Amino acid sequence: MSKSKLIFCGFVVFFFCSFVSITPTAATDHIVGANKGWNPGINYTDWANNQTFYVEDLISFRYAKTQYNVFEVNQSGYDNCTTEGALGNWSSGKDFILLNKAKSSELLQELRL
Protein backbone atom coordinates (compact mmCIF):
# COMPACT_ATOMS: atom_id res chain seq x y z
CA MET A 1 0.00 0.00 0.00
CA SER A 2 2.97 2.36 -0.35
CA LYS A 3 1.15 4.32 -3.07
CA SER A 4 -2.24 4.39 -1.36
CA LYS A 5 -3.70 7.58 0.07
CA LEU A 6 -5.50 7.82 3.37
CA ILE A 7 -6.92 10.74 5.27
CA PHE A 8 -6.44 10.71 8.98
CA CYS A 9 -9.17 12.83 10.52
CA GLY A 10 -6.95 13.48 13.49
CA PHE A 11 -4.60 15.32 11.15
CA VAL A 12 -7.26 17.28 9.33
CA VAL A 13 -6.71 20.98 8.97
CA PHE A 14 -9.92 22.96 9.20
CA PHE A 15 -10.14 26.62 8.43
CA PHE A 16 -13.49 28.24 8.89
CA CYS A 17 -12.29 31.56 7.57
CA SER A 18 -14.70 34.42 7.60
CA PHE A 19 -12.80 36.83 5.45
CA VAL A 20 -13.04 40.56 5.83
CA SER A 21 -13.92 41.97 2.43
CA ILE A 22 -11.85 45.14 2.78
CA THR A 23 -8.31 44.44 1.62
CA PRO A 24 -5.46 45.84 3.75
CA THR A 25 -2.62 47.73 2.06
CA ALA A 26 -0.42 44.63 1.75
CA ALA A 27 -1.42 40.98 1.51
CA THR A 28 -0.29 38.60 4.24
CA ASP A 29 1.15 35.13 3.70
CA HIS A 30 -0.36 32.98 6.49
CA ILE A 31 2.05 30.03 6.81
CA VAL A 32 0.12 27.12 8.28
CA GLY A 33 1.94 26.10 11.45
CA ALA A 34 4.14 29.22 11.29
CA ASN A 35 7.85 28.32 11.49
CA LYS A 36 7.06 24.63 12.12
CA GLY A 37 5.20 24.16 8.83
CA TRP A 38 2.87 21.18 8.68
CA ASN A 39 3.20 19.33 11.97
CA PRO A 40 0.53 16.92 13.26
CA GLY A 41 1.21 18.11 16.83
CA ILE A 42 -0.24 21.59 16.18
CA ASN A 43 -3.86 22.53 16.85
CA TYR A 44 -4.72 24.14 13.51
CA THR A 45 -8.19 25.21 14.59
CA ASP A 46 -6.56 27.36 17.28
CA TRP A 47 -4.02 28.60 14.72
CA ALA A 48 -6.78 29.63 12.29
CA ASN A 49 -8.81 31.31 15.06
CA ASN A 50 -5.80 33.51 15.84
CA GLN A 51 -5.44 34.76 12.26
CA THR A 52 -7.21 37.60 10.50
CA PHE A 53 -7.73 36.72 6.85
CA TYR A 54 -8.38 39.28 4.12
CA VAL A 55 -9.20 38.90 0.45
CA GLU A 56 -5.91 38.69 -1.50
CA ASP A 57 -4.06 37.08 1.44
CA LEU A 58 -2.37 33.70 0.97
CA ILE A 59 -2.54 30.53 3.02
CA SER A 60 0.73 28.61 2.62
CA PHE A 61 1.27 24.94 3.35
CA ARG A 62 4.85 23.68 3.82
CA TYR A 63 5.26 19.90 4.00
CA ALA A 64 7.13 16.91 2.58
CA LYS A 65 5.60 16.57 -0.88
CA THR A 66 6.18 12.82 -0.88
CA GLN A 67 4.00 12.47 2.23
CA TYR A 68 1.08 14.91 2.00
CA ASN A 69 -1.43 16.68 -0.24
CA VAL A 70 -3.77 19.59 0.51
CA PHE A 71 -7.42 19.54 -0.57
CA GLU A 72 -10.15 22.16 -0.45
CA VAL A 73 -13.44 20.42 0.30
CA ASN A 74 -17.01 21.46 1.00
CA GLN A 75 -18.56 21.20 4.47
CA SER A 76 -19.80 17.67 3.77
CA GLY A 77 -16.32 16.55 2.74
CA TYR A 78 -14.89 18.00 5.92
CA ASP A 79 -17.60 16.51 8.15
CA ASN A 80 -17.13 13.07 6.55
CA CYS A 81 -13.32 13.34 6.33
CA THR A 82 -13.24 12.66 2.59
CA THR A 83 -11.66 14.31 -0.45
CA GLU A 84 -14.35 12.98 -2.79
CA GLY A 85 -15.54 15.91 -4.91
CA ALA A 86 -12.64 18.10 -3.77
CA LEU A 87 -12.79 21.72 -4.94
CA GLY A 88 -9.00 22.04 -5.12
CA ASN A 89 -5.87 19.88 -4.79
CA TRP A 90 -2.29 20.98 -4.12
CA SER A 91 0.77 18.71 -3.85
CA SER A 92 3.98 20.70 -4.37
CA GLY A 93 5.11 20.71 -0.73
CA LYS A 94 5.11 24.51 -0.78
CA ASP A 95 1.57 25.47 -1.74
CA PHE A 96 0.15 28.99 -1.82
CA ILE A 97 -3.64 29.28 -1.82
CA LEU A 98 -4.93 32.72 -2.77
CA LEU A 99 -7.94 33.93 -0.82
CA ASN A 100 -9.55 35.66 -3.79
CA LYS A 101 -13.04 36.24 -2.37
CA ALA A 102 -14.84 36.41 0.95
CA LYS A 103 -16.02 32.89 1.84
CA SER A 104 -15.60 30.06 4.31
CA SER A 105 -13.05 27.39 3.44
CA GLU A 106 -12.44 23.86 4.63
CA LEU A 107 -8.98 22.50 3.89
CA LEU A 108 -7.78 18.94 4.52
CA GLN A 109 -4.22 17.69 4.71
CA GLU A 110 -3.90 14.15 3.35
CA LEU A 111 -1.23 11.72 4.49
CA ARG A 112 0.10 9.45 1.74
CA LEU A 113 1.21 5.96 2.75
Side-chain angles (χ1 to χ4, degrees), residues 2-13 32 36-42 44 60-72 83 88-95 97 107-113:
S2 62
K3 297 282 183 185
S4 66
K5 297 180 183 180
L6 297 175
I7 298 173
F8 289 90
C9 292
F11 298 141
V12 170
V13 179
V32 176
K36 294 182 181 182
W38 171 249
N39 181 333
I42 294 174
Y44 292 101
S60 299
F61 285 83
R62 314 284 169 86
Y63 55 91
K65 71 179 184 176
T66 58
Q67 294 180 330
Y68 297 100
N69 283 28
V70 176
F71 290 89
E72 181 178 3
T83 60
N89 178 7
W90 297 266
S91 59
S92 74
K94 192 174 183 181
D95 303 316
I97 300 171
L107 299 166
L108 300 177
Q109 183 89 39
E110 176 188 72
L111 173 63
R112 290 191 241 175
L113 300 177

Side-chain angles (χ1 to χ4, degrees), residues 17-89:
C17 306
S18 296
F19 304 119
V20 178
S21 59
I22 301 170
T23 306
T25 56
T28 300
D29 181 7
H30 301 273
I31 301 171
V32 176
N35 62 346
K36 294 182 181 182
W38 171 249
N39 181 333
I42 294 174
N43 183 323
Y44 292 101
T45 300
D46 285 347
W47 176 85
N49 288 335
N50 287 304
Q51 306 292 311
T52 301
F53 300 96
Y54 294 93
V55 172
E56 301 302 320
D57 280 356
L58 297 168
I59 295 178
S60 299
F61 285 83
R62 314 284 169 86
Y63 55 91
K65 71 179 184 176
T66 58
Q67 294 180 330
Y68 297 100
N69 283 28
V70 176
F71 290 89
E72 181 178 3
V73 297
N74 59 24
Q75 185 66 49
S76 175
Y78 176 76
D79 291 342
N80 294 300
C81 197
T82 180
T83 60
E84 189 174 322
L87 307 170
N89 178 7

